[in-house]
Amino acid sequence: MGFSFSSFRRNSRQTEPENLEGPNRAAYASSHLSDSDGHQGVGEKGPVAEKFVHDADGEKDTIIEEFDKSPGDLTFEEDAKGGMGRHLGLTTCTLLIVGKIIGTGIFSTPSSILGSVGSVGASMMLWVLGFVLSFCGLFVWLELGTIWPQSGGEKVYLERIYQRPKYLATIIFASNAIFLGFTASGCIVFASNILVAAGHEAGRWTERGIALGVIAFATLIHGLTPRAGIYLMNALSVFKIFIVLFVAITGFVVLSGKTHIKDPHANFRDAFAGSSHKPNDVSPLFFHRSIDMRCIDGRASQYATATFKVLFAYAGWSNVNYVLNEVRDPIRTLKIAGPLGLAICALLYLLANVAYFAASSKHDILKSGVTVASLFFRNVFGEQAQKALTVFVALSALGNVLTVTFAQARVNQELAKEGIPLPFGNRLWASNWPTGKSPLPGLIIHLIPSVIVIIAPPPSVAYPFILDVEGYPAQIINLFVVSGLLYLRATKPSLRRPFKVWLPFAFFYLAAACFLLIAPFLRPSNRVGDTPPLPYWLYCIVGIAVMIVGVLYWFGWRVLFPRVLGYELVPVKTELQDGTFVTSFERSKAQ
């Protein structure tokens, strides 16, 4: 299918488009319309509804200019056009969150967290803290997502809040989304576990070859047969719920004493024992007045890194925010699917941790050399069940890869719609080529860095380091998002907010984001961190460097080259053959 572009002129006053039908008309009405008294009309609305409410007092044009346009000058209804329309319901959106959150972390991360904090009690408290922080973040994203029910997530919120300098927020977000938006670890986990299940040696290139096949499969099924991709993604999400639920129920059976596990309550009798004896633990801070400040710094750094891992295991609660252009009744669906999906995962995570600690001693978990889930299955069911677990973990990793690629492709497409200069032109990358239903070019943008990360670095050191690098810029973005929400509350109190986060939650999330950005720079007491021989602070610097690359790219594109070469960037809005609207830039000689 070739490309066909038809230019059009934007009306100075926005009215309901004449050609909106079915779900597009409903989505437009639910996000835009209100009655003459300023009350909610067909559905709940974001700030664009204010342009109707305030028609009489002359504020309409200001509100349209400030909130109804993206940097590429696309309106709400234009941005939502193209592709399969609004086809995602409440069930799929909930599973989209569950499928992203439950990857492989719950099968392996608990042992790493235990090693960092030194006790079962402190480990469980950190999982609870991650749950609370994630819910606080979810409520912040719910407020912003219901104000602007559009695909792109943080991209949309940063663009609308930090509008000057124009495109700076977009480019910085794009540098992080493109360079660090890969899906490599899930592919590697799938490959290694499948090889173990098949009884084959996990050779370096054999493992990488399978991993490349996984990311290629995810790209093609979502790009060429999008409905089949969604069905498979949902099926694997349901499968993951049943697997973790099975672990949780088995844990209760173990605790009942009806299995061969001796003393399943041992880890819970003195749950915090050990916290005060490890050099990188935080618990002595609360009990000893005389303490070396270098130990405080080390413990803070170690706890920050452990918290990053817990938050990474919970990551995915904002997944629906990235695909809202494809969601039916987006505001209502988001408000239900977000809390429901995260609550399901949080409950399963806490119960799974209880099961792990019931079936294995703390010493065995730290010294066994296998994942905590593998140790659990071996202790409870035997070695054959331990081998079966590798298949479960592989399928869980595959489901996570499918979920991540689905959402990330939509983010890449939204970035291309704004006119960001990309190789071969941004119109290609913004399109739904070749089917007209799914953004295969956006999937390819996601595929390229994933392939590089799978092939290039040595895995033993690189993969843990890459996970840390992914987390740090994300926390910087989160800091600006929650700060922006607080700024909007103070400066734009009249905005329609179908959902409002309780401000103490927002401030708590802000404080946690600040801590997680500062603490990794504090030298750990073991002086090496968790990715030796690399310096403990290196992942922070690399993450910041990625964002600085975005700043430099923006400066060259928007300031330096136009000034040196004497041209201006003139935006041109076009409609692609599949109905997608995209902004691109033409050069015009500067006046």
Side-chain angles (χ1 to χ4, degrees):
M1 183 182 295
F3 293 105
S4 175
F5 306 106
S6 57
S7 300
F8 65 96
R9 299 180 64 182
R10 177 172 55 89
N11 295 327
S12 59
R13 290 176 60 87
Q14 294 295 318
T15 58
E16 181 179 352
E18 296 178 355
N19 59 345
L20 283 182
E21 296 181 1
N24 284 336
R25 177 178 292 276
Y28 180 90
S30 69
S31 297
H32 286 67
L33 300 182
S34 64
D35 60 30
S36 59
D37 296 325
H39 297 103
Q40 295 178 352
V42 176
E44 296 169 288
K45 314 154 293 297
V48 286
E50 297 288 329
K51 65 192 179 189
F52 297 97
V53 176
H54 294 296
D55 230 7
D57 57 17
E59 295 183 19
K60 175 177 179 178
D61 291 336
T62 300
I63 291 178
I64 291 176
E65 183 67 26
E66 187 168 6
F67 292 109
D68 195 29
K69 301 287 197 310
S70 68
D73 215 24
L74 299 178
T75 62
F76 175 87
E77 60 272 16
E78 292 166 354
D79 185 59
K81 285 191 172 183
M84 297 172 66
R86 298 190 178 275
H87 62 103
L88 301 178
L90 177 59
T91 300
T92 296
C93 288
T94 303
L95 293 175
L96 195 63
I97 292 172
V98 172
K100 173 68 184 296
I101 295 178
I102 303 179
T104 59
I106 190 57
F107 302 113
S108 58
T109 302
S111 57
S112 175
I113 302 303
L114 179 62
S116 296
V117 300
S119 73
V120 171
S123 176
M124 292 294 294
M125 291 301 295
L126 201 60
W127 282 96
V128 173
L129 175 63
F131 159 68
V132 173
L133 281 174
S134 297
F135 254 101
C136 291
L138 171 67
F139 291 148
V140 171
W141 264 247
L142 282 181
E143 177 168 328
L144 295 173
T146 53
I147 291 174
W148 294 291
Q150 298 170 258
S151 293
E154 295 87 11
K155 166 198 169 290
V156 177
Y157 317 143
L158 294 172
E159 288 173 344
R160 298 303 201 279
I161 298 170
Y162 304 100
Q163 299 183 10
R164 295 289 182 271
K166 193 171 185 179
Y167 272 99
L168 178 59
T170 307
I171 296 295
I172 293 176
F173 179 82
S175 66
N176 180 66
I178 294 174
F179 293 136
L180 299 179
F182 43 76
T183 306
S185 58
C187 301
I188 292 293
V189 169
F190 175 88
S192 61
N193 279 275
I194 283 296
L195 287 171
V196 171
H200 291 287
E201 183 179 351
R204 181 173 179 179
W205 286 106
T206 302
E207 187 176 80
R208 291 180 175 182
I210 295 174
L212 291 175
V214 171
I215 191 63
F217 169 76
T219 300
L220 293 175
I221 193 171
H222 280 317
L224 300 180
T225 57
R227 292 198 181 277
I230 292 172
Y231 291 147
L232 178 59
M233 184 172 68
N234 288 350
L236 289 173
S237 295
V238 172
F239 171 79
K240 288 191 281 187
I241 292 174
F242 278 110
I243 290 299
V244 183
L245 184 61
F246 174 76
V247 170
I249 293 174
T250 304
F252 282 114
V253 175
V254 171
L255 286 171
S256 71
K258 296 180 180 179
T259 66
H260 64 276
I261 302 296
K262 296 180 179 180
D263 196 7
H265 300 273
N267 283 328
F268 304 103
R269 288 198 185 93
D270 191 3
F272 289 90
S275 296
S276 61
H277 300 295
K278 289 175 62 61
N280 282 334
D281 293 339
V282 74
S283 55
L285 301 181
F286 300 100
F287 302 105
H288 296 280
R289 294 182 179 180
S290 59
I291 189 165
D292 191 332
M293 287 303 298
R294 289 174 296 180
C295 292
I296 294 178
D297 292 349
R299 290 160 190 156
S301 176
Q302 198 76 359
Y303 255 66
T305 302
T307 305
F308 268 130
K309 293 177 181 177
V310 172
L311 292 178
F312 186 79
Y314 279 112
W317 41 263
S318 61
N319 216 27
V320 176
N321 294 65
Y322 303 132
V323 300
L324 283 175
N325 286 349
E326 302 181 35
V327 175
R328 295 193 297 267
D329 198 356
I331 293 176
R332 174 183 175 275
T333 301
L334 180 62
K335 291 197 295 183
I336 298 174
L340 179 60
L342 180 56
I344 290 172
C345 296
L347 179 62
L348 291 176
Y349 274 16
L350 294 176
L351 294 178
N353 272 275
V354 171
Y356 294 151
F357 293 131
S360 308
S361 69
K362 184 173 73 173
H363 178 272
D364 288 343
I365 292 173
L366 294 175
K367 303 298 182 182
S368 65
V370 298
T371 65
V372 64
S374 179
L375 184 62
F376 172 83
F377 271 75
R378 186 180 70 188
N379 289 349
V380 177
F381 301 109
E383 293 187 0
Q384 290 300 317
Q386 183 182 15
K387 191 172 183 179
L389 175 67
T390 59
V391 178
F392 300 157
V393 173
L395 292 175
S396 182
L398 176 61
N400 184 260
V401 170
L402 288 170
T403 306
V404 172
T405 53
F406 178 83
Q408 190 63 38
R410 273 67 183 173
V411 174
N412 294 336
Q413 183 182 40
E414 292 300 313
L415 289 168
K417 287 181 183 180
E418 301 295 345
I420 295 175
L422 296 169
F424 310 111
N426 66 299
R427 296 180 185 180
L428 168 64
W429 305 110
S431 72
N432 291 293
W433 178 87
T435 63
K437 297 180 179 180
S438 183
L440 179 60
L443 288 159
I444 292 173
I445 294 177
H446 179 72
L447 172 70
I448 293 171
S450 299
V451 169
I452 293 173
V453 172
I454 290 171
I455 292 177
S460 59
V461 175
Y463 290 133
F465 177 75
I466 287 169
L467 291 179
D468 290 340
V469 170
E470 282 185 285
Y472 197 80
Q475 285 300 324
I476 297 176
I477 290 173
N478 291 347
L479 175 66
F480 278 95
V481 169
V482 67
S483 299
L485 177 137
L486 297 173
Y487 169 79
L488 283 180
R489 284 287 192 95
T491 60
K492 305 294 179 184
S494 64
L495 292 186
R496 287 215 177 249
R497 293 175 171 88
F499 180 91
K500 292 183 71 172
V501 62
W502 190 39
L503 282 180
F505 285 179
F507 280 111
F508 179 59
Y509 191 77
L510 176 66
C514 292
F515 168 75
L516 292 173
L517 291 175
I518 296 171
F521 284 102
L522 304 176
R523 184 172 62 182
S525 53
N526 63 8
R527 299 178 180 270
V528 294
D530 64 348
T531 56
L534 301 176
Y536 63 89
W537 43 261
L538 184 60
Y539 75 89
C540 306
I541 299 300
V542 173
I544 293 172
V546 170
M547 307 191 85
I548 292 176
V549 168
V551 175
L552 296 176
Y553 190 91
W554 169 85
F555 181 76
W557 174 47
R558 300 289 298 182
V559 179
L560 181 62
F561 292 137
R563 185 173 300 173
V564 171
L565 301 178
Y567 64 83
E568 295 177 348
L569 293 171
V570 179
V572 177
K573 192 188 302 186
T574 54
E575 182 180 7
L576 309 186
Q577 184 175 348
D578 59 29
T580 302
F581 285 83
V582 58
T583 297
S584 56
F585 287 91
E586 296 179 354
R587 296 183 181 182
S588 176
K589 187 175 181 180
Q591 300 297 325

